[in-house]
Each structure stands twice: as C-alpha cells, then as structure tokens.
Amino acid sequence: MQLKPQDFLVALKLVAWSGQRWTYAALAHALGLSTSEAHACVKRGLQAGLLAVNALEAASHWGAAAHEPGAIYRLARRTRLSASELTQVAGTDNPARANPRNLAEFAVHGAKYAFPAEKLGLTLGVPTSHSAPAFDGVFAPGSDAMVWPHAEGAVRGIGLRPLHPSVPYAAMQDAQLYEMLALFDALRAGRARERGMAAQRLAALINPTQEVAHG
C-alpha cells in the first residue's frame, strides 16, 4: 500500500469536517474526486493510520448495538483492521475521522518528502503558500507571489504544482481546507521563516490538543 496525494487531501478535508456527518458522495463532490476514488482514499488512510474508524458508525455497520458499551469499547480500542473489515468500513457512510496525532506528525515531518514541491514558471493562479489568505498580514510584502496555476486565477506569481489537480477547486469551497493546504505548501516550498510558522500552525489546526515539534 502506497499513499497517494489525494489520500492526504481527503485526510485534511476530514479535519475541516470534524464533527460533521458526511457521505462518500459529498466527500467526492467537495474534493472533485469520483466516489470510488474517495472510497479508496479513506481505505488507504485507515491502513496508514492517518484516519481512524468512527467507532459508532462501524459498530452499527457490523451489527453491534450502539447502546452496548462493550462492543463500542472493543471497536474503539482496536488499532488495526483486517482487509475485509477495511472493505466493510469503506462501504459505510461517515465511517472515519482524522487521526489527529498521526496526521499532524505526517503533515509536518513526512508529507513534504512524500509529496515534494514542484515549482513552475510565472503564471496566473490561486494564491498559495505565503501568498494565501492564511498568511495575510503575517509577512511583510516583498516575497514573490506563489500560486496554483488555474484558468480562473487572478494573481500572477510563481506556479506551484498543487498536491492534487483538484486542490484549487477544493480549496475554494472550504476556507479551513484552503488554509491547511496553503500552510502545507509553505512548509514544503517556503523559506525558513515561512516553514517554521507553517509547521506550528498546520500542526495546531490538525491536532489542537497537542504540539508537534517542527523541523
């Protein structure tokens, strides 16, 4: 099993959707993916530990009564699912949530190596990295703008290939997701001061209850 960029995108979207119910159709539409691709992303995210099983939903799907604390406890405490169980979970609605600790660690320390930045030429696009709204007022003017190339973009800057082709669309639908994606771009393509701030803010957005060391 190899993680794909869209798996990380899905995991960040579930952070933005924390506490909300969702369906695969809604997830796919929000991210510009197919429904089958959304299923596959969740399955890989569970396998990698970036996502965790929504115990109440899984218990219901597997026939365990929601009012049986013992059954829910066992499901909630399990750390690894079999291949058949992963397939079953991937077939339910609202089956998973972000695993904040693992996802924050991966976002800060691993994702920039798994999905390295690729800078392009000057182009029109959607602002990202230090140029995005997440950085508004944080850094003094002077840095060249950085953008995701996009036909409807209004800002000219250095092109940065997005994590996944659907990222500009997905970001424009969800301000919190946009912020996390822009921070990730600053982490993998920014200068030292931008990387340091981005690591702290991205970790805090994903896992508000625990600090993740940045580097």
Side-chain angles (χ1 to χ4, degrees):
M1 190 276 298
Q2 181 177 356
L3 279 174
K4 298 183 178 181
Q6 58 266 39
D7 303 338
F8 185 45
L9 175 61
V10 162
L12 293 180
K13 182 63 176 179
L14 294 187
V15 172
W17 272 357
S18 177
Q20 299 183 35
R21 294 189 62 84
W22 55 272
T23 65
Y24 281 102
L27 180 63
H29 176 74
L31 296 179
L33 306 174
S34 68
T35 304
S36 61
E37 192 171 18
H39 274 269
C41 289
V42 169
K43 186 174 180 179
R44 287 190 296 266
L46 287 166
Q47 287 177 310
L50 301 184
L51 304 181
V53 172
N54 184 330
L56 291 174
E57 297 297 326
S60 175
H61 179 71
W62 289 328
H67 64 272
E68 295 178 1
I72 295 172
Y73 177 84
R74 287 195 297 274
L75 286 168
R77 296 300 185 193
R78 293 178 66 175
T79 57
R80 182 168 299 184
L81 300 176
S82 68
S84 62
E85 288 170 338
L86 282 166
T87 300
Q88 287 179 308
V89 170
T92 66
D93 286 341
N94 205 44
R97 56 180 173 79
N99 185 331
R101 182 175 180 179
N102 290 358
L103 182 57
E105 182 178 9
F106 178 69
V108 172
H109 298 296
K112 63 183 178 181
Y113 301 112
F115 315 123
E118 181 182 351
K119 292 183 179 180
L120 309 170
L122 287 174
T123 185
L124 285 173
V126 177
T128 186
S129 186
H130 61 273
S131 306
F135 287 84
D136 188 31
V138 174
F139 296 118
S143 299
D144 291 331
M146 192 166 287
V147 301
W148 295 314
H150 195 276
E152 299 178 9
V155 175
R156 179 172 292 278
I158 298 171
L160 181 67
R161 193 175 300 282
L163 175 69
H164 184 269
S166 67
V167 157
Y169 165 81
M172 288 187 285
Q173 315 305 311
D174 185 329
Q176 186 175 353
L177 178 63
Y178 187 177
E179 180 174 3
M180 288 187 289
L181 289 166
L183 289 168
F184 174 61
D185 280 347
L187 184 59
R188 65 179 182 154
R191 296 174 296 185
R193 61 175 182 170
E194 296 159 357
R195 293 196 304 270
M197 189 275 279
Q200 292 180 343
R201 287 184 63 174
L202 183 58
L205 285 172
I206 296 172
N207 186 19
T209 62
Q210 182 174 343
E211 282 192 23
V212 175
H214 61 87

